[in-house]
Amino acid sequence: MTEHPGNPAAGSQGLDLSAVRSRSQAETAPAAPAGGAPAGGAPAAGADTVSVPALVFDVTEETFNDVVELSMSVPVVVDLWADWCGPCKQLSPVLDKVVSDFGGKVVLAKVDVDKNPRLQQVFQVQSIPTVVAILKGQPVPLFQGAQPEPQVRQVFEQLVAAAAQNGVTKTAVPAGEQAPAAAGPAHPEAIEALERDDLDGAEQIYRKALAEAPADEEARLGLARVGLLKRVKDADPEAVRAAAASDSTDVDAALACADLDTAGGHVDDAFNRLLTILPSLTGDDKERVRTRLVELFDVVGAEDPRVTKARSRLMRALF
């Protein structure tokens, strides 16, 4: 086995998980290992939560079926690694940190391929580290090799978005911890700032909240909405639309027009404009458009069917 960082996982689509699943079902179910693999019958911590021993845990061939079951409630990232692998040791703390920051929106299952050769075969692992996901019992290839934190975080964001599209929206709560209690409106001071038309003040409040708690979903959504308001506040609609019409390849013009369309309720036009230009872009321009689309998805709302449709197009373009 060779270490080959950086290339997307290949050959993972359509792989058959039934071999490992049927084996674990046929044998007497063993106790969870010390690493903390989740039990398939673990009691739910609440209507929107699922109880797990930990957000990061080891998994073996014998406990793999529990992970498949867990993927029906929360997306499971699978890190296939080995003790002798240098890039694996570089990637591991990055994965741990990002999973922690996502606050239970994903969990991380670690597979030592030397001790679990059947899982290595099932996932068609050609090099390590290989990172895949399991979503509703199906494998989703993510990446190979040690990756920087921003790139890992981006991949996780896309995975959580895909999970939401498929109705996998529960939050994993480690055993012994309480599920988040229902609360009133989040960040009322930011809402008050918006009512005063103090966009800068609201932005500062949301950014501070995210710095203190990166998994704060309300702060992230609030920041996206404030960002849109600030971008369109002083825009000249006629000039913006004229610029976009005169050059369909102008990324700045496309972004500005998409903002105006979203703010004006022309959501499909905004998404289509950016998704049409995206395939022709590379490097920083492609990332700018991807990031803006994700921000606009947040503004419109994850449950909106227009977002669901556009997110599917974005996923196809990126993966």
Side-chain angles (χ1 to χ4, degrees), residues 107-151:
V107 297
L108 177 63
K110 292 179 174 288
V111 175
D112 184 335
V113 295
D114 288 341
K115 296 178 179 178
N116 300 279
R118 284 174 58 82
L119 291 181
Q120 176 184 340
Q121 181 180 11
V122 163
F123 285 105
Q124 303 178 15
V125 176
Q126 301 299 317
S127 61
I128 56 173
T130 288
V131 179
V132 300
I134 304 177
L135 184 60
K136 295 191 78 171
Q138 299 300 315
V140 180
L142 298 181
F143 58 86
Q144 287 180 330
Q147 304 294 332
E149 182 179 328
Q151 186 168 336

Side-chain angles (χ1 to χ4, degrees), residues 61-77:
E61 294 168 4
E62 290 75 17
T63 59
F64 182 73
N65 191 58
D66 295 336
V67 171
V68 175
E69 292 300 321
L70 181 60
S71 75
M72 304 297 177
S73 300
V74 62
V76 180
V77 175

Side-chain angles (χ1 to χ4, degrees), residues 175-199:
E177 294 185 11
Q178 292 185 345
H187 311 295
E189 66 279 14
I191 296 174
E192 293 174 2
L194 288 173
E195 292 173 348
R196 300 192 304 269
D197 200 28
D198 181 7
L199 300 182

Side-chain angles (χ1 to χ4, degrees), residues 44-105:
D48 298 319
T49 62
V50 59
S51 178
V52 295
L55 296 181
V56 179
F57 50 83
D58 295 325
V59 66
T60 67
E61 294 168 4
E62 290 75 17
T63 59
F64 182 73
N65 191 58
D66 295 336
V67 171
V68 175
E69 292 300 321
L70 181 60
S71 75
M72 304 297 177
S73 300
V74 62
V76 180
V77 175
V78 181
D79 175 22
L80 296 121
W81 67 284
D83 187 61
W84 50 264
C85 169
C88 297
K89 295 177 181 178
Q90 297 174 18
L91 180 63
S92 181
V94 174
L95 292 174
D96 290 356
K97 181 179 185 301
V98 175
V99 167
S100 177
D101 288 347
F102 269 71
K105 295 298 183 183

Side-chain angles (χ1 to χ4, degrees), residues 9-30:
S12 298
Q13 296 93 329
L15 62 83
D16 184 11
L17 300 184
S18 61
V20 175
R21 294 184 66 183
S22 60
R23 177 181 177 184
S24 64
Q25 290 170 336
E27 297 172 350
T28 301

